[in-house]
């Protein structure tokens, strides 16, 4: 055995052997215990970054572990290859985006293989290929046929820097999610997908996603934004029009002393011709369109408005109320108009105080009565007053009775609204899926016949800045109408890149199908995804869109389930010098340099051991060197064992106390690593392996070291190390006389009796009553105690359907779970 651990030679050797033996290719048999490991696919920017390395090392450890547990694992990778960065880079560098993208894919694929991630490369996809985006177009046509895809003139988010439209989900704090540039509003004809038809289902099924992080579920609930209340129409005085408002507090409508319209409301533009107030209205509306919308609605922001000169009639009281336009109302929220109740809404109170508008108390509570003098709004529920026949009712009862009255008299009804808006998928850029529609002057929008798919993206040498590049290519634009045969033009918008990533993991299961997006029978074999690993930054982008797409597929008869992913795991960011690694900050560490200097196994160990996988990881060279040192120490111990005579490792007949202690440590380590991998605690699993090495090294230096015992420990150490440092583990396995791949070996079992010798008993209570007990290592942490208690089946039976209010942990003794309705 070589004295020096030559990681470069070893890693290249095993990567070559894996590829030659094709051991990571997923089987298609109907039998077996499947496990689908999925990671968010990368954008081919040209190089992997440490966020990729962390994500994919975690995923690979799960895939390798599951194979060793006997699962048939589906684990592959693809490329989210369309989108703005490639096109912007092409314009900047004067390189066709296709060449730029495919060259980057080649470089990143080589990096992935150098890291040794166990992907099934026969299933690799790239979203910029016609073989893939053809099915984007097919899905679009299916939705268009059913009215779920439609085109309309809409006020949209426009990124000046990217020169394209953005969906609401892609605007963060008034800025582009991609480059941080300012977003303004424009009115354009756009294609939309009707995601709102699934709003209630998307919301309700969040409760079924028991293995998703609560933070993600909360973000999606807030984004969908369900509100229960009523819609009420205020007739406009001296007009045939009315203003519809939505309110969750119908009991306060008697205190609505004015109405407020969003600057973007259609009536504002209509009234801009008014000789008295029109000029001021138009100027204010124009100013508001250029302002940041998040800042406009911020609670601490200045409330500004303009009187329209018009009044409306409160249908409940008959009162004439003035109509204003104000900055704190947005068109996309509710109906773009609100009733202002300043006594019971602080935002309305501040506006009324500034513009000297009436403030009327209409709900009495412990905090306020009819004679109170207010210095702030009081939003409490209580007894309705000053509202005619509805006075004296409780707030809850009044809302029900008043909604029924509105329905009977025709000026309103009970209603549910959502913050979620239909997904605008049109992009005014070149590098994306062409929308498969033909625009005919006689027939309107006509879908391209399915037999003519894909509508190919034409190759270009240069891309004009601003406007759609496709619109400047006559041979692409000019077409015949499929219905009437007359001259027509193709749609020149392309699809949002999030369309590509909404269903790619379905294509992984059947990537070479040229008859359909996939075979439903194959999907039944692999779905749902067992674990999906990626960043929380996509909680209300990709993760909502993929759920929507699954429901569309279900309603098209392509799948038989509602949700595509059972467990979601969101890994933490990689931090350096106190900030997220970023090229703009100059704190990026190249994986290539680290692999060159330390090897792939060392970086894989470091990226998983130095922090909990869902927490931030602070990059430091000291920790990386520690992982390299661990591998070198294990290498030397393996050499020491060989020099002892290298007997076939097996149980010794007569064991010394030191040997028994080492075997006890081995079985406790097998138990801990197994439990930790089941719970995505790779950091503590690797720490346990480091502790086992310390114990084995100490034993090897003793006078009574038994080579058979040491060999048994080393062989199991190799098996346990295989998910984290697979090249090293394969080399150990071979050096110890095994001819098969360790990647295909069986995961070790621990001897419960040996592992139990130094266990502690932890008592689990639910609301103070003992419901279960479990055994654990004396080194178990409070967090681990809490996790194991909550996962206990007997405990689950007593907490089902109840909310966990508090968890009290007495270290190494007791866990008390406090639950309530």
């Amino acid at each position: 055995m070589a004295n020096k651990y030559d990681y470069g030679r070893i890693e290249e050797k095993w990567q070559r052997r894996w590829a030659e033996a094709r051991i990571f290719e997923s089987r298609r048999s109907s039998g077996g215990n499947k496990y689908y490991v999925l990671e968010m696919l990368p954008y081919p920017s040209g190089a992997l970054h440490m966020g990729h390395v962390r994500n994919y090392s975690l995923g690979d450890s799960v895939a390798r572990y599951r194979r060793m547990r006997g699962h048939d694992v589906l684990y592959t990778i693809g490329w989210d290859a369309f989108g703005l960065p490639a096109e912007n880079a092409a314009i900047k560098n004067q390189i066709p985006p296709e060449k730029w993208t495919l060259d980057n894919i080649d470089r990143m694929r080589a990096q992935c293989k150098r890291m040794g991630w166990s992907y099934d490369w026969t299933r690799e996809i790239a979203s910029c290929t016609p073989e893939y985006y053809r099915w984007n177009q097919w899905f679009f046509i299916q939705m268009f046929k059913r009215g779920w895809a439609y085109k309309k003139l809409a006020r949209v988010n426009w990124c000046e820097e990217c020169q394209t439209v953005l969906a609401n989900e892609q605007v963060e704090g008034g800025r582009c999610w991609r480059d941080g540039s300012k977003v303004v509003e424009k009115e354009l004809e756009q294609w939309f997908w009707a995601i709102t038809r699934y709003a209630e289902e998307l919301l309700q099924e969040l409760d079924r996603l028991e293995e998703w992080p609560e933070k993600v579920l909360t973000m999606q609930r807030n984004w969908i934004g369900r509100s229960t209340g009523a819609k009420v129409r205020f007739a406009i005085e001296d007009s045939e029009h009315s203003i519809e408002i939505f309110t969750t507090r119908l009991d306060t409508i008697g205190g609505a002393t004015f109405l407020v319209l969003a600057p973007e409301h259609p009536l504002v533009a209509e009234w801009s011709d008014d000789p008295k107030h029109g000029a001021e209205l138009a100027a204010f509306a124009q100013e508001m369109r250029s302002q940041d919308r998040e800042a406009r609605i911020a609670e601490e922001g200045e409330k500004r408005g303009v009187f329209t000169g018009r009044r409306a009639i409160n249908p409940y009281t008959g009162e004439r109320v003035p109509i204003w336009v104000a900055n704190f109302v947005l068109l996309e929220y509710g109906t773009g108009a609100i009733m202002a109740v300043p006594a019971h809404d602080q935002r309305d109170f501040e506006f009324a105080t500034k513009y000297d508008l009436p403030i009327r108390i209409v709900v009495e509570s412990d905090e306020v009565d009819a004679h109170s003098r207010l210095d702030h709004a009081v939003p409490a529920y209580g007894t309705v007053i000053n509202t005619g026949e509805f006075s004296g009712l409780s707030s809850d009862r009044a809302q029900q009775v008043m909604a029924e009255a509105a329905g009977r008299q025709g000026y309103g009804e009970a209603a549910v609204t959502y913050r979620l808006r239909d997904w605008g998928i049109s992009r005014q850029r070149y590098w994306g899926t062409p929308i498969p529609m033909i625009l005919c002057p006689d027939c309107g929008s006509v879908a391209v016949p399915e037999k003519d798919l894909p509508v190919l993206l034409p190759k270009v040498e240069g891309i004009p800045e601003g406007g759609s590049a496709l619109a400047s290519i006559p041979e692409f634009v000019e077409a015949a109408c499929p219905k009437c045969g007359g001259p027509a033009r193709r749609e020149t918008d392309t699809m949002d890149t999030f369309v590509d990533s909404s269903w790619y993991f379905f294509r992984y299961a059947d990537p070479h199908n040229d008859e359909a997006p996939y075979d439903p029978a194959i999907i039944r074999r692999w779905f749902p995804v067992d674990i999906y690993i990626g960043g929380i930054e996509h909680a209300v982008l990709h993760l909502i869109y993929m759920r929507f797409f699954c429901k569309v597929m279900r309603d098209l008869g392509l799948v038989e389930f509602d949700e595509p992913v059972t467990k979601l795991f969101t890994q933490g960011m990689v931090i350096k010098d106190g900030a997220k690694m970023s090229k703009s900050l100059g704190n990026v560490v190249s994986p290539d340099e680290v692999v060159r200097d330390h090897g792939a196994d060392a970086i894989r160990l470091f990226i998983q051991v130095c922090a909990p996988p869902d927490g931030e990881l602070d990059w430091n060279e000291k920790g990386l060197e520690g992982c390299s040192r661990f591998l070198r120490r294990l290498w030397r111990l393996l050499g020491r064992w060989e020099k002892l005579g290298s007997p076939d490792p097996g149980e010794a007949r007569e064991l010394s106390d030191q040997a028994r202690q080492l075997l006890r440590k081995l079985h406790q380590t097998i138990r801990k690593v197994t439990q930790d991998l089941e719970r995505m605690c790779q950091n503590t699993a690797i720490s346990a392996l480091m502790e086992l090495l310390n114990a084995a090294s100490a034993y090897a230096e003793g006078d009574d070291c038994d080579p058979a015992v040491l060999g048994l420990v080393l062989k199991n150490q190799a098996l346990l190390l295989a998910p984290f440092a697979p090249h090293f583990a394969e080399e150990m396995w071979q050096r110890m006389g095994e001819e098969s791949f360790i990647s295909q070996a069986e995961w070790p079992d621990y001897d419960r009796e040996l592992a139990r010798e130094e266990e502690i008993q932890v008592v689990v209570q639910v609301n103070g009553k003992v419901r279960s007990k479990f055994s654990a290592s004396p080194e178990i942490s409070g967090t681990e105690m809490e996790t194991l208690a909550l996962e206990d089946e007997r405990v689950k039976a007593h907490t089902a359907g109840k909310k966990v209010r508090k968890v009290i942990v007495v270290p190494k003794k007791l866990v008390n779970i406090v639950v309530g309705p």
Side-chain angles (χ1 to χ4, degrees):
M1 177 178 177
N3 292 325
K4 182 181 178 183
Y5 167 45
D6 185 351
Y7 56 79
R9 180 190 62 80
I10 290 170
E11 290 172 358
E12 188 279 329
K13 165 187 170 181
W14 288 106
Q15 288 163 16
R16 183 182 68 255
R17 291 194 180 182
W18 292 333
E20 290 171 350
R22 303 172 67 171
I23 66 171
F24 302 129
E25 293 182 14
S26 307
R27 298 186 296 275
R28 288 177 176 265
S29 61
S30 58
N33 189 14
K34 73 92 181 176
Y35 201 90
Y36 189 170
V37 182
L38 179 67
E39 303 150 344
M40 292 186 183
L41 80 174
Y43 186 84
S45 58
L48 296 176
H49 55 66
M50 285 301 169
H52 291 129
V53 173
R54 193 178 197 196
N55 187 339
Y56 304 153
S57 294
L58 289 169
D60 190 58
S61 70
V62 175
R64 288 177 177 275
Y65 168 69
R66 289 295 170 184
R67 290 192 194 98
M68 295 176 75
R69 294 306 299 261
H71 291 91
D72 186 3
V73 172
L74 174 54
Y75 181 55
T76 188
I77 195 169
W79 311 98
D80 192 9
F82 271 143
L84 288 170
E87 187 167 344
N88 289 342
I91 293 171
K92 179 179 179 180
N93 299 310
Q94 297 183 332
I95 299 172
E98 181 179 30
K99 175 176 172 50
W100 188 89
T101 301
L102 296 180
D103 287 350
N104 286 347
I105 288 175
D106 288 342
R107 286 192 291 271
M108 293 176 72
R109 184 190 300 111
Q111 287 181 300
C112 289
K113 291 183 176 181
R114 181 62 187 87
M115 288 300 302
W117 295 318
S118 58
Y119 295 128
D120 178 351
W121 287 102
T122 67
R123 296 173 180 271
E124 176 189 9
I125 60 100
S127 63
C128 65
T129 62
E131 293 79 14
Y132 185 85
Y133 70 70
R134 165 190 183 181
W135 302 110
N136 288 347
Q137 296 171 344
W138 185 86
F139 281 121
F140 184 103
I141 291 171
Q142 307 317 305
M143 286 191 262
F144 177 74
K145 288 177 179 177
R146 292 159 176 81
W148 308 341
Y150 63 92
K151 193 173 192 181
K152 70 173 183 178
L153 184 66
R155 201 167 283 281
V156 294
N157 308 303
W158 180 263
C159 176
E160 288 287 358
E161 184 69 24
C162 299
Q163 284 290 293
T164 192
V165 166
L166 303 176
N168 288 342
E169 292 84 355
Q170 294 163 328
V171 180
E172 300 172 351
R175 296 188 174 275
C176 174
W177 74 283
R178 176 69 76 180
D179 59 23
S181 59
K182 189 173 182 180
V183 172
V184 297
E185 287 192 342
K186 271 193 175 185
E187 199 169 65
L188 293 173
E189 286 265 28
Q190 295 288 284
W191 285 99
F192 290 84
W193 280 353
I195 191 173
T196 53
R197 73 187 298 267
Y198 295 100
E200 186 65 24
E201 189 179 356
L202 286 167
L203 180 65
Q204 294 301 324
E205 288 185 357
L206 290 173
D207 293 335
R208 294 170 49 192
L209 301 178
E210 297 177 354
E211 295 187 74
W212 282 44
E214 187 57 41
K215 185 176 181 181
V216 172
L217 301 180
T218 298
M219 292 170 72
Q220 290 207 6
R221 287 188 185 100
N222 292 340
W223 189 258
I224 295 168
R226 187 184 197 273
S227 296
T228 302
K231 288 183 178 179
V232 177
R233 289 173 288 279
F234 284 66
I236 301 173
E237 193 174 52
D238 301 324
S239 170
E240 296 179 355
H241 295 298
S242 63
I243 295 174
E244 184 175 76
I245 62 95
F246 172 81
T247 179
T248 60
R249 289 296 306 272
L250 188 57
D251 57 314
T252 68
I253 198 167
T257 56
F258 57 101
L259 299 184
V260 183
L261 304 181
E264 302 85 2
H265 196 286
L267 287 175
V268 176
E270 184 178 323
W271 293 341
S272 294
D273 294 333
D274 181 83
K276 186 174 182 180
H277 299 278
E280 187 179 13
L281 277 176
F284 182 75
Q286 181 61 36
E287 179 187 356
M288 291 302 106
R289 288 191 190 102
S290 64
Q291 288 195 354
D292 181 274
R293 289 181 298 174
E294 296 297 322
R296 277 172 51 184
I297 62 174
E299 289 186 15
E300 67 277 6
E302 180 188 7
K303 309 301 183 289
R304 296 177 54 205
V306 175
F307 179 47
T308 66
R310 287 167 169 78
R311 286 175 169 76
I313 308 300
N314 186 325
Y316 285 94
T317 65
E319 181 184 11
R320 298 169 67 242
V321 295
I323 304 170
W324 285 69
V325 177
N327 62 339
F328 60 86
V329 180
L330 300 180
L331 183 64
E332 61 264 34
Y333 294 165
T335 64
I338 66 163
M339 66 175 198
V341 185
H344 304 292
D345 183 280
Q346 184 61 28
R347 181 185 55 181
D348 299 345
F349 182 88
E350 293 172 11
F351 191 87
T353 301
K354 178 175 182 177
Y355 291 102
D356 196 26
L357 295 165
I359 299 174
R360 181 185 307 126
I361 297 168
V362 290
V363 175
E364 283 188 322
S365 66
D366 292 340
E367 301 175 55
V368 65
D369 61 34
H371 306 293
S372 299
R373 296 181 63 85
L374 299 178
D375 58 7
H376 65 277
V378 181
Y381 291 83
T383 302
V384 174
I385 62 174
N386 297 327
T387 313
E389 64 183 288
F390 306 105
S391 297
L393 296 175
S394 68
S395 290
D396 289 343
R397 178 61 177 158
Q399 292 193 64
Q400 178 184 347
V401 172
M402 295 172 81
E404 291 171 353
R408 285 194 307 271
Q409 298 176 39
Y411 54 77
E413 60 276 325
V416 174
T417 65
Y418 301 89
R419 182 177 186 262
L420 183 69
R421 291 292 179 263
D422 279 347
W423 179 7
I425 67 156
S426 289
R427 297 295 178 268
Q428 291 66 47
R429 299 299 292 253
Y430 163 74
W431 192 234
T433 299
I435 293 177
M437 299 299 294
I438 292 176
L439 311 178
C440 175
D442 297 320
C443 305
S445 295
V446 181
V448 171
E450 291 177 29
K451 65 180 179 60
D452 294 337
L453 297 180
V455 176
L456 293 173
L457 188 66
K459 296 183 183 297
V460 297
E461 291 300 320
I463 300 174
E465 296 192 42
S468 170
L470 295 181
S472 65
I473 304 174
E475 56 269 31
F476 176 82
V477 175
E478 296 168 3
C481 174
K483 276 190 176 180
C484 69
R489 58 183 298 274
R490 290 190 187 277
E491 174 60 73
T492 57
D493 285 352
T494 53
M495 294 187 200
D496 180 9
T497 185
F498 278 96
V499 172
D500 306 317
S501 58
S502 291
W503 72 283
Y504 72 99
F505 45 96
F506 287 90
R507 188 68 175 176
Y508 279 165
D510 192 14
H512 307 298
N513 193 327
D514 59 4
E515 301 294 330
Y518 49 75
D519 181 344
I522 294 176
I523 296 302
R524 284 194 296 273
R525 165 83 175 95
W526 289 111
F527 275 74
V529 172
D530 293 279
I531 187 169
Y532 194 13
I533 304 171
I536 198 171
E537 65 271 18
H538 290 301
V540 295
L541 286 158
H542 163 63
L543 291 174
I544 280 185
Y545 293 149
M546 63 173 276
R547 295 181 61 222
F548 157 68
F549 226 92
C550 181
K551 297 178 193 314
V552 169
M553 291 175 171
R554 178 201 62 200
D555 291 350
L556 292 175
L558 298 173
V559 301
E560 299 170 351
F561 46 86
D562 303 320
E563 292 288 341
V565 171
T566 298
K567 180 175 182 176
L568 174 70
F569 187 86
T570 54
Q571 88 279 356
M573 293 187 298
V574 180
I575 305 295
K576 187 171 185 290
D577 302 327
K580 179 181 178 181
M581 279 195 185
S582 167
K583 290 181 181 178
S584 62
L585 296 176
N587 65 349
V588 170
V589 175
S590 167
D592 293 345
E593 295 174 5
V594 177
V595 170
R596 181 194 65 207
D597 296 339
H598 297 274
D601 282 341
I603 188 175
R604 289 166 61 126
L605 285 170
F606 170 75
I607 210 79
Q608 295 182 81
V609 75
C610 285
D614 57 353
E616 290 183 349
L617 185 150
D618 192 3
W619 181 268
N620 65 83
E621 296 293 332
K622 185 177 179 181
L624 179 60
E625 177 54 38
C627 291
S628 295
R629 189 163 54 250
F630 164 73
L631 293 175
R632 292 196 298 270
R633 286 182 61 214
L634 185 53
W635 185 262
R636 289 195 297 271
L637 183 58
L638 183 60
R640 183 183 181 91
W641 172 78
E642 286 187 326
K643 290 178 181 178
L644 289 173
S646 306
D648 182 40
E651 294 286 353
R653 292 185 178 180
E654 294 184 10
L655 297 176
S656 66
D657 289 341
Q658 291 79 8
R660 289 191 182 93
Q661 290 174 7
L662 180 59
L663 291 176
R664 180 184 304 121
K665 183 68 173 178
L666 168 63
H667 287 274
Q668 289 171 348
T669 303
I670 295 172
R671 179 186 62 195
K672 179 163 180 56
V673 172
T674 303
Q675 292 175 346
D676 286 349
L677 277 171
E678 292 287 344
R679 298 184 290 117
M680 288 296 288
C681 294
Q682 281 84 341
N683 58 319
T684 52
I686 296 171
S687 294
L689 291 175
M690 292 177 171
E691 292 176 9
L692 180 61
L693 174 60
N694 291 338
S697 297
Y699 176 75
E701 292 171 3
D703 294 335
D704 59 350
C705 173
D706 184 335
V709 172
L710 182 60
L712 177 66
V713 172
L714 287 174
K715 209 162 207 183
N716 280 278
Q717 176 95 332
L719 289 165
L720 297 175
L721 187 62
F724 311 110
H727 313 86
F728 190 102
E730 292 278 12
E731 190 74 7
M732 274 188 77
W733 193 244
Q734 183 189 67
R735 293 283 184 178
M736 298 189 78
E738 297 292 340
E739 297 181 358
S740 61
F741 290 103
I742 199 171
S743 299
Q744 295 178 315
E746 187 175 335
W747 188 255
D749 284 328
Y750 63 90
D751 185 308
R752 294 180 183 275
E753 291 303 316
L754 271 177
R756 189 178 292 127
E757 285 188 31
E758 292 188 356
E759 288 182 339
I760 59 172
Q761 284 285 312
V762 177
V763 175
V764 186
Q765 298 177 338
V766 178
N767 288 346
K769 295 183 179 181
V770 176
R771 298 301 186 187
S772 187
K773 296 178 183 179
F774 62 84
S775 300
S777 164
E779 290 80 30
I780 190 170
S781 68
T783 301
E784 290 173 319
M785 287 174 62
E786 178 179 336
T787 300
L788 289 173
L790 291 170
E791 291 177 350
D792 187 286
E793 292 300 325
R794 284 170 290 181
V795 171
K796 285 181 178 180
H798 292 280
T799 59
K802 300 173 184 176
K803 184 174 182 179
V804 176
R805 303 287 184 182
K806 192 176 184 180
V807 179
I808 302 166
V809 176
V810 179
K812 307 186 190 311
K813 291 184 179 180
L814 177 142
V815 179
N816 184 25
I817 302 167
V818 181
V819 298

